[in-house]
Amino acid sequence: MQDPVTATPAVLVKQYNITQHKELEAQLFLRQGDLQRQKEDLEQVSVTMQEEKLRLQQEAEKLAQQLQAVLNDKFVRRNTFDAETPIDKTLGYLETIISGSTPPLQQALELHTILSQSDTNLRQPVGLEEQLLMGRMGSDVGQSMLQMLQGNPTKPQIRRPTIETDELPAPWSSYAHATAEAAALTAFEVPTFLDALVSPSLIPDVERLLHTADSSWQFDVFAFAEATPGHTLSVLFFYLVKQSGVLDGMYLDEGKLCNFLQKMDCGYDPLTPYHNSTHVASVVQMTHMLLCHGGIIKSKAMDRPLMWGTYWAALVHDYEHGGLNNDFLVKTAHPLAITYSDQSPLEHHHVAAATRVFLEPDCMYFTPQSWSPEEVGMARNCAITQILGTDMKKHFDILSRFQAAFKRPAVHSAHQQTPHQSLEWDKVKPEDKTLVHQLVIKCADIGHLAADHNTHKRWSYKLEEEFFRQGDRERALGLPISPLMNRDQAGGMTRSQVLSALPGAPASTKAQHPCHASFLKSLLYMLIQIDRHALVLRHHNTC
């Protein structure tokens, strides 16, 4: 073969067909396109499979949660009392969603079951009856608490007493009018008041105890009662309101105020084991601590009329208590139950009877220079709502509303208050302020839960004896004996396992007690005690 350029002989190394080459390139390109499409299809199938896998996993988890929910509902026995109401549970569920989290399916199933029931009480703990009657606290305790919170669920027929009505303890009979110790006092200062009521040899001890009462969360009210027999409540109340400053500028007739206090003191029967003037003195003292050292005054949560109304509510909240609870009065068609249509008869009577004493000419301590009618009305309305709020049948309604009003969600906007911000009391709704006012007295009423263990135990035994006396009365009338009130059975309050679970305050109250915290923190500290223990302690009257 000859080279066409040089015309010299040449050797053929390779023959190149450009047309064929182009055809091969085109085929290769098409093949690559097919492979790319196949790859994309496979990737899409893989994504679909992953999604299906995830869906199946989620479905499996839901089925597992449903199974666990069924197992828990059928077989798991709770050892703790669940005080959350349906509203509390619903708000918690919504807050979880608002925060961006996914609530467990079990929680949604529980809410659906609870809210779909026609008899659900939105402001009562879920399954209250089952928790109380089947819990570890024992049937007697559970029945006692259920009776206190709901009354008689079976609505038994009212049975008239089989003995004369005047043989019954009569909480409406006024001890104040039957004693000569209610004589008018002309003293206007605490030292003179003490001189008139207390033996001179005891005045130094009384003054020392009064100083302690003004600043101690663990005041020894029993020692004070022993030093001021017959005048415990009047002396303590007069001293504490003077110390608080609530009387400054009120221009009260302090002589008539002392008359009123003496009659209040005499209106508590000393033969009643628990609901006597010593108990009320302890409530007055704890109220003073919450107001003056719990942050309420500092937070400006109450003005002077409301503070006076709160002190007054603590003073009269058990006035003329006869040692019998509301349930007994209703069952026996007691005149108080008839008068108040079975609605908180004791609480209504405490307010009404004390008000009648106040309206007596020698006890009407307000003067024309004291307050305006509007301010007096504010103080009275505050005291009424506080005292009526001590009926334990209203406990969960008040507590649930309080928690809902002051509980902040997990997420916060520029207009929402974080837990670390101080409460702007002026922006709190009036109805929510009322809840706080009610809880001050509710907390103070069981303030001995913050006392040392021996003092708290002493109160518990006194309450138990009052229980037994009502049980004795029920037996005499042929009525079923209420739970925890049968002295012939080893089922009294102090003999049950409940008392061992009733702790006092922390060992170091200076370090752990919220006396320097905001008033809401103080209330919440006491509310923990209410939720855990007060149901049994408050069985016998509701404050």
Side-chain angles (χ1 to χ4, degrees):
M1 175 176 186
Q2 187 175 11
D3 186 342
V5 179
T6 61
T8 59
V11 178
L12 179 62
V13 177
K14 183 178 180 181
Q15 187 176 4
Y16 183 78
N17 189 332
I18 190 171
T19 301
Q20 184 180 15
H21 180 73
K22 294 295 184 181
E23 291 176 352
L24 290 174
E25 285 182 347
Q27 293 176 4
L28 180 60
F29 179 78
L30 293 174
R31 183 60 177 166
Q32 287 177 339
D34 292 339
L35 293 174
Q36 182 64 31
R37 284 190 294 272
Q38 291 179 9
K39 178 183 177 182
E40 292 174 354
D41 291 342
L42 290 174
E43 290 177 347
Q44 183 62 41
V45 170
S46 177
V47 171
T48 303
M49 292 179 65
Q50 290 293 333
E51 292 175 348
E52 182 67 14
K53 177 182 178 181
L54 181 60
R55 186 187 68 80
L56 292 174
Q57 288 177 341
Q58 292 175 344
E59 184 175 343
E61 291 175 358
K62 291 179 181 179
L63 291 173
Q65 291 179 359
Q66 290 177 348
L67 177 61
Q68 188 63 43
V70 173
L71 293 176
N72 287 340
D73 184 59
K74 296 295 183 182
F75 303 109
V76 175
R77 187 174 181 177
R78 295 181 175 89
N79 290 324
T80 58
F81 182 79
D82 181 8
E84 283 197 330
T85 66
I87 288 181
D88 296 332
K89 292 181 180 293
T90 302
L91 290 175
Y93 185 84
L94 294 176
E95 289 172 5
T96 302
I97 296 176
I98 292 173
S99 66
S101 303
T102 303
L105 177 63
Q106 179 180 348
Q107 189 176 358
L109 292 172
E110 289 179 351
L111 276 178
H112 181 273
T113 301
I114 293 168
L115 297 177
S116 61
Q117 295 174 353
S118 61
D119 59 346
T120 295
N121 187 330
L122 297 180
R123 297 212 177 262
Q124 180 173 282
V126 177
L128 177 63
E129 182 173 354
E130 180 181 0
Q131 289 193 76
L132 295 180
L133 297 183
M134 300 181 64
R136 62 187 177 92
M137 64 183 63
S139 60
D140 284 346
V141 177
Q143 290 174 5
S144 175
M145 294 168 67
L146 188 64
Q147 180 177 336
M148 172 187 62
L149 294 166
Q150 294 184 333
N152 286 310
T154 57
K155 297 294 182 184
Q157 184 177 2
I158 293 177
R159 300 182 61 180
R160 292 284 182 176
T162 57
I163 59 178
E164 295 297 326
T165 303
D166 57 9
E167 295 182 27
L168 292 172
W172 72 96
S173 63
S174 175
Y175 300 104
H177 296 253
T179 176
E181 290 187 295
L185 294 174
T186 57
F188 290 88
E189 297 296 334
V190 176
T192 308
F193 192 33
L194 287 177
D195 293 339
L197 300 179
V198 180
S199 171
S201 62
L202 294 176
I203 287 180
D205 292 336
V206 172
E207 290 179 340
R208 175 182 55 81
L209 288 168
L210 285 173
H211 179 74
T212 303
D214 183 39
S215 58
S216 174
W217 292 95
Q218 294 186 327
F219 171 61
D220 189 350
V221 70
F222 290 113
F224 185 76
E226 292 172 0
T228 56
H231 311 290
T232 301
L233 181 57
S234 52
V235 172
L236 183 65
F237 182 90
F238 190 81
Y239 176 79
L240 291 179
V241 294
K242 294 283 282 188
Q243 290 297 108
S244 71
V246 69
L247 297 184
D248 296 347
M250 283 181 62
Y251 303 105
L252 297 183
D253 185 330
E254 293 189 3
K256 291 184 177 182
L257 173 60
C258 292
N259 292 342
F260 176 76
L261 294 179
Q262 281 283 278
K263 291 188 178 184
M264 290 298 101
D265 223 332
C266 297
Y268 291 97
D269 188 354
L271 299 181
T272 301
Y274 184 84
H275 290 99
N276 50 43
S277 62
T278 304
H279 159 70
V280 178
S282 72
V283 175
V284 169
Q285 193 270 339
M286 183 57 69
T287 299
H288 174 76
M289 292 300 297
L290 287 170
L291 291 177
C292 298
H293 301 280
I296 294 181
I297 293 179
K298 183 178 180 181
S299 301
K300 298 182 180 179
M302 290 184 180
D303 55 18
R304 187 163 296 178
L306 295 181
M307 283 182 59
W308 175 253
T310 300
Y311 275 111
W312 198 86
L315 173 72
V316 310
H317 80 281
D318 276 333
Y319 183 67
E320 292 186 347
H321 195 297
L324 302 169
N325 64 13
N326 281 331
D327 186 64
F328 180 90
L329 303 185
V330 172
K331 287 191 299 185
T332 58
H334 191 283
L336 287 183
I338 300 302
T339 299
Y340 298 109
S341 302
D342 297 346
Q343 302 300 307
S344 307
L346 281 173
E347 291 72 26
H348 278 102
H349 174 71
H350 301 324
V351 177
T355 301
R356 282 193 288 268
V357 174
F358 163 71
L359 293 176
E360 294 176 4
D362 64 332
C363 295
M364 192 176 296
Y365 46 78
F366 280 125
T367 67
Q369 294 78 29
S370 296
W371 283 336
S372 66
E374 291 77 16
E375 290 174 316
V376 174
M378 287 174 56
R380 173 169 166 78
N381 289 337
C382 177
I384 291 174
T385 57
Q386 287 173 320
I387 295 172
L388 296 183
T390 61
D391 187 343
M392 280 302 293
K393 289 182 176 60
K394 301 176 182 179
H395 171 73
F396 287 115
D397 180 74
I398 295 173
L399 184 58
S400 175
R401 293 178 188 277
F402 174 81
Q403 291 174 329
F406 294 99
K407 182 179 180 181
R408 299 306 177 198
V411 295
H412 310 283
S413 67
H415 304 288
Q416 289 175 321
Q417 173 184 307
T418 68
H420 302 290
Q421 291 177 323
S422 60
L423 179 69
E424 297 183 42
W425 186 252
D426 292 339
K427 297 182 179 180
V428 176
K429 295 186 293 185
E431 58 268 29
D432 294 338
K433 292 180 179 180
T434 298
L435 295 173
V436 175
H437 301 159
Q438 289 177 309
L439 284 168
V440 171
I441 298 299
K442 286 176 69 67
C443 292
D445 194 28
I446 57 165
H448 60 83
L449 284 165
D452 64 89
H453 181 71
N454 290 334
T455 298
H456 169 67
K457 191 174 181 180
R458 185 172 177 179
W459 280 120
S460 299
Y461 278 110
K462 287 179 173 293
L463 182 58
E464 181 181 59
E465 175 58 27
E466 195 166 301
F467 281 8
F468 286 157
R469 292 188 184 186
Q470 176 170 320
D472 296 341
R473 180 61 60 185
E474 290 171 338
R475 180 186 290 108
L477 294 174
L479 297 171
I481 300 177
S482 299
L484 298 182
M485 295 190 180
N486 191 341
R487 70 171 69 246
D488 295 334
Q489 296 179 358
M493 188 186 73
T494 62
R495 282 171 274 181
S496 71
Q497 58 183 316
V498 175
L499 182 61
S500 62
L502 297 175
S508 174
T509 56
K510 182 177 180 180
Q512 300 186 44
H513 203 285
C515 54
H516 301 296
S518 70
F519 76 94
L520 281 180
K521 288 182 179 179
S522 296
L523 289 177
L524 288 173
Y525 172 86
M526 299 297 288
L527 282 172
I528 293 173
Q529 308 298 334
I530 290 178
D531 271 339
R532 293 174 59 189
H533 313 305
L535 300 182
V536 174
L537 291 175
R538 290 304 309 128
H539 175 138
H540 203 58
N541 162 35
T542 76
C543 208

